[in-house]
Amino acid sequence: VEVGGKWASTRLPVQATASVFSLKEKTRLGADPDHIGFSQQIGDSRVKGVELEGQARVGAWQFLASTTYTNARASATAWGGALDPSQQLEGIPKHMSSVWAVHDFRAFGLPGLSIGPGAGYIGRIRVGTGAGFVPSVPLMDAVAAFETGPWRFALNINNLADKDYIAVCLARGDCWFGSRRKVVLTADYRW
């Protein structure tokens, strides 16, 4: 179940969206400790959360911000798995946020050019073994875009500082690093 709404000011270039959700999963699968590479039914889960997003234009700046709170819990029910209903499910952060500030260079004689930084935050993530948490991580991004007629060219850089961080660790003991710096150049044509 998900319910949401959107608000836009009639006087200012400001808008916001909000949604609340509740998901239920029955017979959740988990790693089978007796048979590597196989899964077993370990219980039910319930994921509840709130997502908020807003954007505003102030002069030549456009600001975008979003945040998500996710409460992901599970119970072992009849299968007797090792799920603790008081702990967040593995691999799902409780908190995630991002903010962007993009400047339009029209006033400098460069119509269509916009450049700006972004910052993101991923909250700590419970390790699947129950032995601790993957630490929270702040990340920096950047964008430079140019629009002319129906064309939009953009250069996006994720993880600008090329920060090394662990993204997630699962119950079977394996962990993955987060994405390294990624540079993506796109060209879009709007019909």
Side-chain angles (χ1 to χ4, degrees), residues 23-189:
L23 310 166
K24 187 171 183 179
E25 179 184 20
K26 292 186 175 195
T27 64
R28 181 177 179 82
L29 293 178
D32 183 342
D34 298 325
H35 304 94
I36 304 301
F38 290 89
S39 300
Q40 66 179 357
Q41 294 175 335
I42 58 173
D44 298 341
S45 69
R46 166 125 8 224
V47 179
K48 299 177 182 179
V50 176
E51 296 176 339
L52 304 171
E53 185 176 310
Q55 57 181 308
R57 185 171 287 282
V58 179
W61 287 94
Q62 181 174 10
F63 298 98
L64 301 116
S66 67
T67 189
T68 302
Y69 170 80
T70 307
N71 184 350
R73 304 284 193 234
S75 60
T77 64
W79 293 283
L83 298 176
D84 183 343
S86 69
Q87 292 186 359
Q88 185 83 351
L89 286 174
E90 69 176 12
I92 302 174
K94 257 191 187 179
H95 302 280
M96 287 179 40
S97 300
S98 69
V99 63
W100 282 88
V102 180
H103 191 274
D104 181 345
F105 285 85
R106 188 179 327 248
F108 295 99
L110 300 167
L113 178 65
S114 58
I115 298 174
Y121 169 81
I122 302 169
R124 70 183 192 162
I125 300 172
R126 191 172 73 80
V127 173
T129 61
F133 293 89
V134 171
S136 61
V137 62
L139 296 169
M140 295 296 299
D141 300 321
V143 65
F146 181 72
E147 295 185 41
T148 179
W151 286 96
R152 182 177 190 270
F153 303 94
L155 176 70
N156 288 279
I157 305 173
N158 300 96
N159 193 0
L160 187 64
D162 200 21
K163 184 174 188 153
D164 287 327
Y165 66 99
I166 304 259
V168 68
C169 291
L170 300 179
R172 57 185 188 227
D174 47 349
C175 297
W176 284 275
F177 282 98
S179 296
R180 302 283 312 262
R181 180 186 301 125
K182 182 166 68 170
V183 179
V184 179
L185 181 62
T186 58
D188 296 317
Y189 183 85

